[in-house]
Amino acid sequence: MRVRRIGAVLAAAAMTLGVAACGGDKTYDSVADKVQDAKQVVVGTKWDQPGLGLKKGAEPEGFDVDVAKYVIKELAGGQDVDITWKESASSNREAFLANGTVDIIFASYSITESRKEKVTFGGPYIVAHQDVMVRGDDSSISKPTDLKDKRICQAAGSNSYKRITDPPPDGELDIDAELVGAANYSECVAKLGGNNLDAVTTDDLILAGFATQAAEQGGASFKILGQPFTDEKYGVGLKKGDTKTCEAVNAAITKMYQDGTVQQLFTKWFGKAQGLSAPTAAPSFEPCA
């Protein structure tokens, strides 16, 4: 019993450790402190979502990436920061924050009640809306309820499929559909193009990025139904309890809307997608807790 108790105490102590600086032993009480003092930070983003976070060269690019750069620079008082980019898939975001693999996450990270139990969220910095994407020549699916008995993608770590298959409060439509597993949304889209499933359902910003990429590359033709049925609040993920950074992130997001940066970035990354319009005001923030 004594050994178990000591182990539990040590584990609890480890969980309360601050944010470590790269290449050194110094730790900080918050990510904001680390950014301001060390001028370095590890940022988690998606690397497989065109328009949001896609790694094509030395670092990822997309709307989430540009938002991250803006917010981090604001946290540093306008000074440049050395950013190390880390791929953070839907399946490992909570673990990466908890174990210190990343300091902060910008990765189409929808704020949900279950996730708030493990993560402190800044923002949201934008609100997306779940929609459905099908093959361009598929006329059998014209609205979300047509997904009954259809094959839809279940991306690892994502809750989007539950909006189709589950009843409220976690779900939305409570429709019987066949789930087809995939490691991520790029695999979902590949399976859709290969006729291995009938639809991919997730946030319209994610779908717009994939549809645009396919068109530019001369690949499979996809269409988005244009019938959104949820609000997906994209938050900035932080280790649970880092309220100081959360409040600083919210201040940066507020400024980003006030100076027009959000509208510029939205047009840059999603301006070619039909049916999407740039937000004009910052969303209501979640409590920093």
Side-chain angles (χ1 to χ4, degrees), residues 112-181:
T112 66
E113 290 302 316
S114 61
R115 286 172 177 164
K116 285 195 292 186
E117 295 176 0
K118 304 175 183 178
V119 176
T120 290
F121 282 103
Y125 54 91
I126 198 167
V127 179
H129 308 281
Q130 187 163 340
D131 212 318
V132 177
M133 186 169 75
V134 299
R135 287 181 294 277
D137 59 357
D138 188 348
S139 59
S140 68
I141 302 173
S142 61
K143 54 187 181 298
T145 51
D146 290 336
L147 294 176
K148 179 177 171 57
D149 298 326
K150 298 292 187 178
R151 300 168 298 170
I152 66 172
C153 201
Q154 181 183 8
S158 174
N159 295 318
S160 293
Y161 73 95
K162 291 185 178 181
R163 308 292 196 276
I164 300 293
T165 60
D166 291 8
D170 294 330
E172 188 76 21
L173 301 181
D174 195 17
I175 292 174
D176 289 329
E178 179 183 346
L179 299 178
V180 178

Side-chain angles (χ1 to χ4, degrees), residues 45-82:
T45 65
K46 295 290 184 65
W47 286 13
D48 67 328
Q49 289 183 348
L52 286 163
L54 180 67
K55 192 170 188 294
K56 300 174 67 176
E59 63 181 45
E61 62 179 34
F63 181 80
D64 282 354
V65 175
D66 285 349
V67 169
K69 291 177 179 178
Y70 182 100
V71 170
I72 294 300
K73 191 166 186 177
E74 285 298 310
L75 294 184
Q79 299 184 55
D80 291 333
V81 177
D82 181 15

